[in-house]
Amino acid sequence: VQLQASGGGLVQTGGSLRLSCAASVRTFGTYTMAWFRQAPGKDREFVANIARSSSITYYADSVKGRFTVSRDSAKNTVYLQMNSLKPEDTAVYYCAARGGSHYYIGRDEYDYWGQGTQVTVSS
């Protein structure tokens, strides 16, 4: 599985960005997809994930109500719509995939990772 993330950039506080992650895999529908982020000097943390069925999503408390994760099986792509961005959202954002259940949010539970895309929110 190869993952290619894109869509990062510089945005002002309160602005929006949409990240995309294209998966090179024939069985996209069998993978739980997730977004993580890593700020300078901090550990990589879970942001959101979406189940294989697309009907179940889960968010970190810090982004709940502001971020929305979705997936398009026809395009083998997962998205992260980020609204009401804050300076503390500044980080490198990574998409990740795991075969199987969406119940897992630890980074060690994910087998495949994209290269990351930088999101910078200015105050």
Side-chain angles (χ1 to χ4, degrees):
V1 179
Q2 292 185 323
L3 303 175
Q4 181 72 37
S6 61
L10 174 64
V11 64
Q12 292 185 334
T13 296
S16 298
L17 281 174
R18 189 177 80 155
L19 305 183
S20 300
C21 175
S24 298
V25 62
R26 295 176 65 183
T27 56
F28 181 68
T30 66
Y31 290 87
T32 290
M33 302 299 296
W35 289 95
F36 287 75
R37 67 186 181 186
Q38 188 166 16
K42 295 187 177 181
D43 291 336
R44 192 171 301 186
E45 65 175 3
F46 172 82
V47 174
N49 72 2
I50 183 165
R52 293 166 289 179
S53 66
S54 301
S55 63
I56 301 173
T57 57
Y58 185 70
Y59 299 91
D61 288 344
S62 58
V63 307
K64 200 172 295 182
R66 300 188 297 122
F67 291 9
T68 302
V69 61
S70 61
R71 63 193 296 163
D72 184 337
S73 295
K75 297 181 178 179
N76 280 13
T77 299
V78 63
Y79 302 97
L80 186 68
Q81 178 67 44
M82 305 185 295
N83 299 328
S84 302
L85 283 161
K86 306 175 182 180
E88 51 264 44
D89 295 318
T90 295
V92 177
Y93 283 71
Y94 298 88
C95 60
R98 72 182 307 275
S101 173
H102 62 280
Y103 290 112
Y104 301 95
I105 63 172
R107 64 180 183 180
D108 292 341
E109 302 291 346
Y110 286 79
D111 304 305
Y112 306 100
W113 292 85
Q115 85 286 6
T117 185
Q118 176 71 48
V119 172
T120 303
V121 185
S122 63
S123 58

